[in-house]
Amino acid sequence: MIDKNGKVFGKINLIDLLIIIVIIVAAAFLGWRLLANNSSSTGSVQDITIGFYSTDSPNSVIEQFEVGAQLLDDTENNVLGTALSWETGEAYEYTTDTLGETIALHDPTCSSFMLYGQLTATVDDNGIVINGVRYAIGHTMVLYVGDCKVWVRIESIEY
């Protein structure tokens, strides 16, 4: 098999053969990883209504929301869809008083809100996938609503 010149089958050097084997194994591993990641998002593509919740955002920011505004995940630079509607509520901050009791303080300059958006996503067993990024209920992110930037948590996903 290896001749006196160190060639396998008299045609290829042993070191060259090892390099070729390493390249083939690396390519196979990389291909397997890419296919394994893509196969997890092979669910159906559907129109989704998603609910984003924020506990407290400045009223001046929420007042700038517009129906149809683009929703952008700031971390992933991923366009999610468009704003449908929103509801506001009072924003509370919880603190402890001098007696050790937990009290809620209302900040009149801020509000909580629930923002609903319309988007198209791939649905699978672990949430939804938009442009290769997975989202699920409980996911927190910085979200642009048009030109407004807010901190939100995904509160609902309706198919």
Side-chain angles (χ1 to χ4, degrees):
M1 201 150 113
I2 299 176
D3 65 12
K4 62 182 177 177
N5 295 327
K7 296 193 178 208
V8 179
F9 302 114
K11 301 210 180 237
I12 187 166
N13 185 318
L14 185 58
I15 294 174
D16 293 338
L17 179 63
L18 290 175
I19 291 172
I20 291 170
I21 291 172
V22 168
I23 290 172
I24 291 171
V25 169
F29 178 74
L30 183 62
W32 173 77
R33 292 287 292 172
L34 290 173
L35 290 175
N37 286 343
N38 289 337
S39 67
S40 65
S41 62
T42 57
S44 63
V45 175
Q46 297 183 26
D47 289 333
I48 306 289
T49 300
I50 190 166
F52 299 99
Y53 179 73
S54 176
T55 58
D56 61 340
S57 291
N59 293 331
S60 60
V61 173
I62 299 170
E63 290 167 1
Q64 300 300 311
F65 288 179
E66 294 180 2
V67 172
Q70 178 177 277
L71 303 176
L72 174 77
D73 175 357
D74 182 47
T75 305
E76 298 291 338
N77 197 31
N78 196 12
V79 175
L80 303 178
T82 57
L84 286 176
S85 65
W86 55 93
E87 304 160 357
T88 60
E90 291 187 349
Y92 288 96
E93 178 181 328
Y94 294 91
T95 188
T96 306
D97 66 11
T98 57
L99 300 174
E101 300 290 325
T102 301
I103 57 171
L105 300 176
H106 172 64
D107 181 355
T109 66
C110 292
S111 294
S112 63
F113 69 82
M114 185 70 164
L115 169 72
Y116 297 97
Q118 181 68 41
L119 51 98
T120 302
T122 302
V123 178
D124 67 14
D125 293 338
N126 300 109
I128 59 175
V129 178
I130 305 167
N131 299 324
V133 180
R134 182 174 309 285
Y135 298 93
I137 294 172
H139 186 109
T140 57
M141 70 180 87
V142 175
L143 182 72
Y144 278 94
V145 182
D147 60 358
C148 302
K149 187 175 182 178
V150 290
W151 182 260
V152 297
R153 176 183 67 235
I154 296 177
E155 191 74 14
S156 65
I157 299 174
E158 297 177 17
Y159 312 113

